RNA sequence: GCGCGCGUAGCUCAGUUGGAUAGAGCGUUUGACUUCGAAUCAAAAGGUCGCAGGUUCGAGCCCUGCCGCGCGCACCA
């Protein structure tokens, strides 16, 4: 039995006791962990609520402590419960039978949490993340998006959900058009020349890096060094390119497609370094050419979700009424979906796409494989070509049609996201208002110190700010690959100093895992709505509350078991099982787990056993930082335990068995928690 | 102007649907490697939880007002 089951059992006991004693039906029973282990293993603050309900029902004022006393006797009946205390103003504190619980937990292979198989009939959840404009390299702000999304996917999977991961490719946007203008106007290049350039670029300036610089140069080209007439001619150039891309089937569109696809490939390479993968790349050009919008437009018109304005400043536009934002003189409250020139806005396209994700559009993409990962997983991409996917050896999954969609998009887009969600729910009310979730997060900004380090000159105004926003347009930002390279270099230096006996490949692999652990943890330890003011020292640290700290704890634990006899774990479990029948052994185990030192060991076990709870809570709250904190707390607990006890040298057989069991459970749970965060545990570090 | 978010230790941040003595990391000071790995551990110092009211057995958390900061409010994507 797992701890979670035991908790649920006790909650049921509280529920039936409340019904029996007071005739009150409790719908939700809160159970919490007491602030200090001396107070117990599980606390029910339920007496306070019952006191309130009794007063409401009968008018009788019953002190919470009196209620708690009555609940106490009911809970003490459970076999796993050693005793129950009433504490404070009326807490019901449960103390478990430590020896009994340890014997229940020991020797099992509990590490399978991260690979919990999805339940096949489970309705599918969709997570869209990354969605970087494919016109330049990814920066750390993009990585925050991808790491949050990928981690949340892992959390959902660990909680037994079926999940589909999508990456939206806006390959027809102005950003791509800008880079195309850069190639054709600034570089005067043809598609063949671009391909030749791409093939000849040095390793330290890959295609997406080249585009990064070109993109900023185009920005300057539009804005500076020319008279107004020339500038507006240049901007016309941009909109001509944009239209050509949208229309498709012309040389400009072909060139743009090459640029976008190459950038997507490079971005996927970057993400793969961080163990981030996708099931489907959904391209905007395909949404356009397969007429998803036309269908959505018809649906919206016939449902009366949008209306055609005949007068006012929005005359000729199709708008969606949006009353929650009161209109002012400057800003209308209605949201334009179709412009007066007949073109659709981004929001309109997004509604169509969101409908498809939820299986409510009545149209589908065509698909073809885009890339295969080493383990055989395939990321597919949408296409307009019919039957493109017919490859008998590669069965295609069914994409789309989820019951719930999480869009990982930064919180600046809260307003457009709200409109999309409302539009969708207005069209298909039966899916419910919570089918579209904006999984928002704050941006990664640069600290003034980071800017200085990057050699970025700041204006006086910017220097006074707490942080400076990154900008792809201005080329202001830390490229993801650069940061990963630097982390790997730093980690490699440490590994080389500590483990000269390892081969070059092993050292490099270890350094890579440490670098990934450091970066992923750094981006996950902040809650979603906290702005990360990026600081190199903090991000490059391997000490304190970091990924490597957590990895290190697991590595140390593993090294104990590498040195122990292979049968030690099973032998320890056997001895602990004996303790449940043999009263003398049982008393000794209780003694080892008692007292101040024993309570510390016991607390670690309790914490480790709360992994499922932590994952479930993380899935429900959609806050990956919760799990990151849990992993760190568990690692910290283990490091203390490690320091206090010598397992291999322990002479007391019973104590050794207890220590082995607790250390084994802890390392399994820690490894599992880290895996769910996308962090691996190296052999040595 | 309206909407959203934030304000907690010197700094960066947590704080579990309102719950017990508000917690971490970094930094500072001090101590611990002859032991299963010191990327570690222990100890100390550090708080008017922005301000003022309110709700109740109980508020960092909920409500109201104010102050400060950030973001958003396009026939841009």
């Amino acid at each position: 039995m797992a701890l979670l089951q035991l908790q649920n059992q006790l909650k049921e006991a509280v529920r039936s006791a409340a019904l029996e004693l007071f005739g009150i039906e409790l719908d939700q029973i809160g159970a919490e962990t007491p602030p200090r282990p001396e107070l117990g293993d599980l606390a029910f603050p339920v007496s306070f609520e019952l006191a309130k309900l009794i007063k409401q029902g009968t008018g009788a004022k019953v002190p919470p402590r009196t209620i708690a006393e009555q609940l106490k006797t009911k809970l003490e009946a459970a076999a796993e419960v050693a005793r129950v205390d009433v504490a404070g103003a009326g807490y019901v504190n449960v103390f478990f039978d430590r020896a009994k619980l340890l014997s229940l937990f020991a020797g099992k292979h509990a590490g399978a949490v991260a690979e919990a198989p999805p339940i096949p009939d489970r309705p599918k959840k969709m997570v869209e993340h990354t969605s970087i404009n494919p016109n330049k390299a990814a920066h750390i702000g993009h990585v925050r998006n991808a790491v949050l999304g990928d981690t949340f996917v892992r959390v959902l999977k660990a909680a037994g959900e079926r999940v589909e991961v999508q990456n939206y490719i806006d390959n027809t946007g102005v950003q791509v058009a800008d880079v195309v203008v850069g190639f054709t106007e600034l570089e005067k290049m043809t598609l063949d020349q671009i391909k030749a350039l791409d093939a000849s670029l040095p390793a330290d300036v890959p295609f997406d890096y080249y585009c990064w610089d070109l993109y900023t140069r185009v920005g300057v080209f539009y804005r500076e060094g020319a008279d107004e007439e020339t500038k507006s001619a240049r901007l016309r150039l941009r909109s001509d390119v944009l239209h050509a891309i949208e229309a498709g089937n012309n040389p400009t569109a072909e060139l743009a497609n090459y640029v976008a696809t190459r950038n997507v490939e490079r971005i996927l390479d970057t993400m793969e370094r961080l163990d981030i993968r996708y099931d489907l790349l959904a391209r905007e050009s395909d949404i356009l050419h397969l007429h998803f919008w036309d269908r959505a437009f018809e649906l919206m018109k016939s449902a009366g979700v949008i209306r055609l304005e005949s007068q006012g400043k929005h005359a000729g536009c199709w708008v969606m009424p949006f009353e929650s934002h009161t209109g002012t003189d400057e800003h209308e409250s209605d949201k334009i979906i179709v412009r007066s020139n007949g073109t659709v806005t981004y929001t309109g396209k997004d509604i169509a796409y969101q409908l498809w994700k939820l299986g409510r559009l009545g149209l589908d993409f065509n698909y073809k494989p885009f890339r295969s990962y080493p383990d055989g997983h395939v990321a597919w991409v949408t296409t307009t070509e019919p039957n493109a996917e017919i490859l008998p050896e590669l069965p295609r999954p069914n994409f789309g049609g989820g019951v719930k969609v999480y869009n990982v998009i930064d919180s600046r887009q809260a307003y457009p996201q709200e409109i999309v969600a409302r539009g969708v729910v207005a069209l298909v009310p039966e899916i419910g208002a919570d089918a579209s979730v904006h999984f928002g997060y704050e941006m990664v900004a640069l600290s003034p110190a980071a800017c200085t380090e990057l050699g970025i000159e700041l204006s006086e105004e910017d220097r006074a700010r707490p942080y400076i926003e990154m900008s792809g347009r201005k080329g202001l930002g830390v490229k993801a690959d650069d940061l990963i390279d630097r982390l790997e270099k730093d980690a490699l230096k440490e590994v080389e100093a500590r483990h000269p006996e390892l081969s070059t490949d092993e050292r490099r692999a270890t350094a890579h895992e440490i670098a990934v652990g450091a970066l992923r943890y750094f981006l996950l330890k902040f809650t979603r709505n906290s702005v990360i003011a990026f600081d190199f020292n903090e991000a490059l640290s391997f000490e304190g509350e970091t990924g490597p700290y957590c990895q290190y704890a697991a590595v140390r634990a593993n090294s104990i078991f590498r040195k122990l006899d292979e049968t030690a774990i099973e032998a320890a479990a056997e001895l602990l099982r004996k303790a449940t029948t043999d009263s003398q052994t049982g008393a000794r185990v209780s003694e080892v787990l008692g007292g101040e030192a024993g309570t510390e060991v016991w607390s670690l076990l309790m914490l480790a056993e709360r992994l499922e709870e932590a994952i479930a809570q993380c899935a429900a709250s959609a806050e990956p930082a919760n799990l990151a904190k849990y992993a760190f707390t568990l690692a910290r607990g283990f490091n203390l335990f490690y320091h206090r006890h010598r397992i291999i040298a322990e002479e007391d057989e019973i104590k050794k068995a207890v220590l082995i069991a607790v250390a084994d459970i802890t390392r399994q749970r820690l490894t599992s928690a880290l895996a769910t965060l996308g962090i691996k545990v190296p052999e040595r570090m």
Side-chain angles (χ1 to χ4, degrees), chain A residues 14 39 84 103 146 191 209 217 366 432 501 532 571 589 614 629 638 640 651:
Chain A
V14 170
L39 291 169
V84 179
S103 78
L191 177 55
Y209 276 43
R217 281 167 56 207
N366 298 301
E501 80 282 3
I532 299 179
V589 173
K629 292 283 173 195
F638 180 80
L640 176 59
E651 287 180 359

Side-chain angles (χ1 to χ4, degrees), chain A residues 164-486:
Chain A
E164 182 174 312
V165 187
Q166 300 191 357
N167 180 358
Y168 183 70
I169 311 294
D170 184 4
N171 59 346
T172 56
V174 284
Q175 292 87 351
V176 172
D178 285 342
V179 177
V180 170
V181 168
F183 276 119
T184 56
E185 298 302 317
L186 297 181
E187 308 279 292
K188 305 285 182 202
M189 278 186 181
T190 63
L191 177 55
D192 286 338
Q193 285 170 316
I194 295 170
K195 285 179 180 173
L197 168 81
D198 189 4
S200 70
L201 284 169
D204 59 335
V205 190
F207 191 72
D208 58 336
Y209 276 43
Y210 188 90
C211 290
W212 174 284
D213 292 331
L214 186 56
Y215 184 44
T216 61
R217 281 167 56 207
V218 173
V220 173
F221 172 66
Y222 290 146
R223 290 189 308 269
E224 290 165 25
D227 54 62
E228 287 307 314
E229 202 179 320
T230 314
K231 277 195 249 182
S232 63
R234 287 171 178 177
L235 286 170
R236 256 198 315 279
L237 215 54
R238 161 157 86 170
S239 86
D240 289 347
V241 168
L242 187 56
H243 287 140
I245 294 172
E246 280 177 4
N249 285 320
N250 59 67
T252 304
E254 201 188 331
L255 196 152
N257 185 44
Y258 180 82
V259 170
T261 304
R262 281 292 293 127
N263 275 308
V264 169
E265 282 172 353
R266 279 291 304 134
I267 290 165
L268 258 59
D269 289 344
T270 303
M271 296 307 166
E272 202 176 337
R273 295 179 80 182
L274 300 172
D275 276 340
I276 297 168
R277 297 175 174 193
Y278 310 89
D279 298 317
L280 179 67
L281 313 179
R283 302 194 305 168
E284 180 162 274
S285 59
D286 298 319
I287 290 175
L288 230 59
H289 297 141
L290 292 168
H291 307 291
F292 276 26
W293 164 244
D294 297 342
R295 171 66 63 91
F297 192 28
E298 287 311 314
L299 291 172
M300 292 177 91
K301 278 194 284 195
S302 60
V305 173
I306 53 174
R307 63 159 186 260
L308 180 62
E309 292 286 77
S310 56
Q311 52 191 350
K313 63 193 285 195
H314 291 164
C317 298
W318 286 89
V319 303
M320 198 168 93
F322 201 52
E323 64 294 327
S324 82
H325 294 264
T326 334
T328 62
D329 289 348
E330 280 175 280
H331 303 290
E332 293 291 331
S333 58
D334 298 340
K335 180 70 194 172
I336 290 165
I337 302 297
V338 180
R339 303 181 188 104
S340 55
N341 66 6
T343 57
V344 58
T345 60
Y346 181 83
T347 310
K349 281 185 269 189
D350 229 22
I351 290 173
Y353 178 38
Q354 187 80 356
L355 280 171
W356 173 82
K357 286 186 196 166
L358 291 161
R360 302 298 177 135
L361 186 67
L363 288 175
D364 200 4
F365 294 104
N366 298 301
Y367 305 91
K368 62 182 180 188
F370 188 79
R371 99 161 29 191
S372 297
Y373 293 101
D375 70 348
H377 180 79
V378 174
W380 293 69
V381 65
T382 59
T383 173
T384 53
E385 302 157 37
N387 305 324
E389 79 270 22
I390 293 181
L391 293 169
E393 71 280 9
L394 190 63
R396 169 172 80 75
N398 284 317
F399 295 112
V403 290
K404 193 160 186 167
V405 175
Y406 294 91
N407 291 322
V408 183
I409 303 178
D410 78 83
S411 52
R412 282 170 294 187
Q413 307 223 34
Y415 176 63
Q417 276 293 301
E418 195 186 339
I419 293 166
V420 170
R422 277 170 177 246
V424 169
V425 98
L427 278 169
V428 278
E430 67 273 19
I431 60 166
D434 59 351
S436 306
V437 179
H438 175 208
F439 188 103
Y441 64 93
E442 273 292 348
M443 61 178 162
V444 181
L446 297 169
S447 68
C451 288
T452 310
E453 194 163 339
L454 287 167
I456 297 164
E457 296 249 354
L458 292 178
S459 65
E460 194 129 339
E461 193 186 353
D462 279 346
R463 249 197 303 272
R465 293 168 174 273
Y467 47 79
I468 291 94
E469 189 179 350
M470 288 195 283
S471 161
R473 200 167 290 277
K474 294 179 197 157
L476 199 63
V478 179
K479 292 191 203 74
D481 281 317
D482 286 350
L483 183 64
I484 301 169
D485 288 345
R486 214 166 135 181

Side-chain angles (χ1 to χ4, degrees), chain A residues 10-29 46-47 49-51 53-54 67 70-72 74-75:
Chain A
L10 292 173
K11 281 186 189 176
E12 272 316 304
V14 170
R15 186 196 306 280
S16 61
L19 194 61
E20 186 190 328
L21 295 167
F22 314 105
I24 289 171
E25 184 95 40
L26 291 165
D27 46 334
Q28 266 213 328
I29 295 166
V46 72
S47 317
E49 199 189 334
L50 280 171
L53 291 170
I54 291 168
I67 297 168
Q70 287 176 273
L71 293 174
K72 171 186 152 116
K74 295 284 177 190
L75 285 172

Side-chain angles (χ1 to χ4, degrees), chain A residues 521 544-555 628 631-633 635 670 674 681:
Chain A
Y521 191 92
E545 196 196 335
T546 65
Y549 175 96
C550 300
Q551 291 171 307
Y552 185 64
V555 167
F632 173 68
T633 309
L670 180 56
L674 288 172
V681 176

Side-chain angles (χ1 to χ4, degrees), chain A residues 16-205:
Chain A
S16 61
L19 194 61
E20 186 190 328
L21 295 167
F22 314 105
I24 289 171
E25 184 95 40
L26 291 165
D27 46 334
Q28 266 213 328
I29 295 166
E32 51 195 50
T33 307
R36 293 183 308 285
E38 312 89 81
L39 291 169
D41 300 313
L42 194 64
F44 291 101
V46 72
S47 317
F48 306 112
E49 199 189 334
L50 280 171
K52 199 176 283 178
L53 291 170
I54 291 168
K55 196 176 154 193
Q56 279 169 13
T58 65
K61 264 184 136 176
V62 187
R65 279 196 76 101
T66 312
I67 297 168
E69 289 293 346
Q70 287 176 273
L71 293 174
K72 171 186 152 116
T73 28
K74 295 284 177 190
L75 285 172
E76 273 173 338
E80 294 84 0
V81 172
R83 67 172 218 275
V84 179
D85 274 2
V86 173
Y91 285 95
V92 180
N93 291 344
V94 176
F95 292 77
F96 294 130
D97 182 329
R98 297 181 177 182
K100 184 169 269 174
L101 253 66
L102 181 56
S103 78
L104 280 175
F105 299 149
K108 283 186 311 181
H109 287 282
V113 181
E115 306 108 46
I119 302 149
D121 300 339
R122 206 97 190 232
K124 188 162 63 178
K125 295 194 170 170
M126 321 287 275
V127 178
E128 181 202 314
H129 67 75
T130 307
S131 306
I132 305 171
N133 284 321
N135 69 324
K136 58 174 185 312
H139 62 58
I140 46 174
H142 300 123
V143 178
R144 184 180 196 186
N145 180 306
V147 167
L148 275 171
D150 180 68
T151 303
F152 188 56
V153 168
R154 288 165 190 265
V155 168
L156 288 175
K157 284 181 177 169
E161 301 281 0
R162 214 152 62 89
V163 190
E164 182 174 312
V165 187
Q166 300 191 357
N167 180 358
Y168 183 70
I169 311 294
D170 184 4
N171 59 346
T172 56
V174 284
Q175 292 87 351
V176 172
D178 285 342
V179 177
V180 170
V181 168
F183 276 119
T184 56
E185 298 302 317
L186 297 181
E187 308 279 292
K188 305 285 182 202
M189 278 186 181
T190 63
L191 177 55
D192 286 338
Q193 285 170 316
I194 295 170
K195 285 179 180 173
L197 168 81
D198 189 4
S200 70
L201 284 169
D204 59 335
V205 190

Side-chain angles (χ1 to χ4, degrees), chain A residues 531-606:
Chain A
V531 177
I532 299 179
F534 183 83
D535 181 85
F536 279 103
N537 289 335
E538 247 181 280
L540 293 169
S541 171
F542 296 154
E543 287 165 20
E545 196 196 335
T546 65
Y549 175 96
C550 300
Q551 291 171 307
Y552 185 64
V555 167
R556 287 168 124 188
N558 287 336
S559 85
I560 297 172
F561 289 94
R562 210 169 23 235
K563 285 176 183 156
L564 272 173
D565 192 76
E566 273 178 19
T567 59
I569 295 170
E570 195 33 54
E574 185 58 39
L575 190 58
L576 291 168
R577 270 194 292 278
K578 187 181 154 203
T580 55
T581 51
D582 176 58
S583 64
Q584 206 185 336
T585 318
R588 282 284 298 119
V589 173
S590 296
E591 196 187 316
V592 170
L593 287 170
E596 208 176 311
T599 296
E600 212 170 76
V601 174
W602 169 251
S603 305
L604 180 60
L605 177 67
M606 281 291 99

